[in-house]
Amino acid sequence: MIRLENRSGEMEIFVGVVNAGSFSAAAARLQMTPSAVSKLMSRLETRLGARLINRSTRKLQLTAEGAEFYQRCLNILSDIEEAESCVSHAEMAAGRVNVNVSVPVGMRIILPLVPAFLKQYPRVSLNLQLTDEVVNLLDINAEVAIRSGRMKDSRLSARKLGATPMTIVASPHYLQTYGLPKTPQDLENHNRLGHHFAREMNGWPFTVDGKEIVIPINGNAQVSNGEALRLLCVEGLGMARLANFLIADDVEAGRLVPVLQDYNPGDLEEIHAVYISQGGPLPHRIRVFIDYLADNIAL
């Protein structure tokens, strides 16, 4: 049987090959010969009984099995690092963490947690950028991005921080003026506000007689973030489908009213901490920040 430390060593080399993009580049980083790296990878694939990487003269490409193994290796190596750091005080969390976060999540969820986090980790500083633009982490020099919605980019690693229900709302004044819709079809006569950027579903989903239908957005105003949509709804311009954490106070105060809840499909919008994996464990300053969010965010 292969010893555990040898397996973790194989995982480190495999992850290094994937991140470097070639055996020769990985060998240089790992201070090994290309032939030694190639032989180790072949031995690993033989032991697992699966091809992990398709090799060509120009580039390496992960197979489906390789992509799955890669993600699991990242998790295992990260867990090993975390386990070791738990019993060692040699590495204390220190340094700056560059964070990019969407405006609603930043204002409502992240910023309220910042004071307590910095008090617990006084040697860490946060550089927070709030924007709803679609960003590339490398382009903006961000180490962590907090984003809502389903993860699409397999090159990024992510940790789920929570999930929030979605609700269609309108102000009492708007409903008094234009009427309360009783079915999704009634929305054809209403101003349906939305975002100006493409989302995974460019419409509002409903469950009608056990089937899902989607009503498109047709409003006379589109904005860049949910906070702005909320304000437009409170002012009576139209209806919007928003995350519950954004509208809870308004609903409780009577500024907004939930609409068509009997047809709500009950879908959840997930919130993730997204980061670029470099093939090794996360720096301690980044890991404690993500851990703190995961432990303290309540949706």
Side-chain angles (χ1 to χ4, degrees), residues 86-282:
C86 285
V87 295
S88 173
H89 298 286
E91 182 187 20
M92 295 184 64
R96 185 171 70 175
V97 183
N98 296 314
V99 183
N100 183 281
V101 57
S102 62
V103 174
V105 173
M107 296 295 293
R108 298 287 182 135
I109 297 176
I110 304 302
L111 288 181
L113 298 177
V114 166
F117 169 78
L118 293 178
K119 183 177 181 180
Q120 183 170 336
Y121 297 98
R123 298 182 61 196
V124 175
S125 64
L126 298 177
N127 179 21
L128 294 163
Q129 180 185 25
L130 274 64
T131 175
D132 284 296
E133 296 179 3
V134 178
V135 298
N136 182 302
L137 294 186
L138 289 176
D139 290 344
I140 62 172
N141 194 32
E143 295 166 303
V144 182
I146 312 298
R147 282 293 181 269
S148 302
R150 185 180 302 177
M151 283 293 302
K152 294 181 180 179
D153 193 338
S154 61
R155 297 171 300 174
L156 299 176
S157 297
R159 180 170 178 182
K160 182 179 174 182
L161 302 178
T164 178
M166 306 292 291
T167 301
I168 295 172
V169 291
S171 72
H173 175 72
Y174 175 88
L175 295 175
Q176 288 169 6
T177 304
Y178 298 99
L180 177 68
K182 304 226 179 126
T183 70
Q185 289 74 16
D186 292 341
L187 291 175
E188 293 296 332
N189 301 315
H190 287 273
N191 197 27
R192 306 186 294 278
L193 306 175
H195 297 87
H196 68 63
F197 54 84
R199 293 174 64 85
E200 183 177 354
M201 180 184 296
N202 286 317
W204 297 348
F206 297 94
T207 300
V208 179
D209 296 328
K211 297 180 180 179
E212 183 174 291
I213 65 170
V214 177
I215 302 295
I217 298 168
N218 74 334
N220 60 4
Q222 294 180 327
V223 296
S224 63
N225 64 71
E227 193 70 58
L229 270 183
R230 183 190 70 82
L231 289 173
L232 292 180
C233 284
V234 170
E235 292 300 319
L237 181 62
M239 298 181 176
R241 190 171 192 260
L242 295 166
N244 279 14
F245 73 83
L246 261 178
I247 59 173
D249 292 342
D250 294 313
V251 171
E252 183 177 355
R255 292 185 293 268
L256 291 175
V257 177
V259 175
L260 295 173
Q261 283 293 77
D262 289 343
Y263 299 93
N264 191 328
D267 57 316
L268 300 175
E269 184 166 79
E270 296 182 348
I271 298 175
H272 295 90
V274 184
Y275 53 93
I276 299 173
S277 173
Q278 299 296 330
L282 280 174

Side-chain angles (χ1 to χ4, degrees), residues 13 24 26-34 36-37 40:
I13 293 173
S24 58
R29 295 181 186 181
L30 297 168
Q31 297 183 332
M32 299 173 63
T33 65
V37 172
L40 185 143

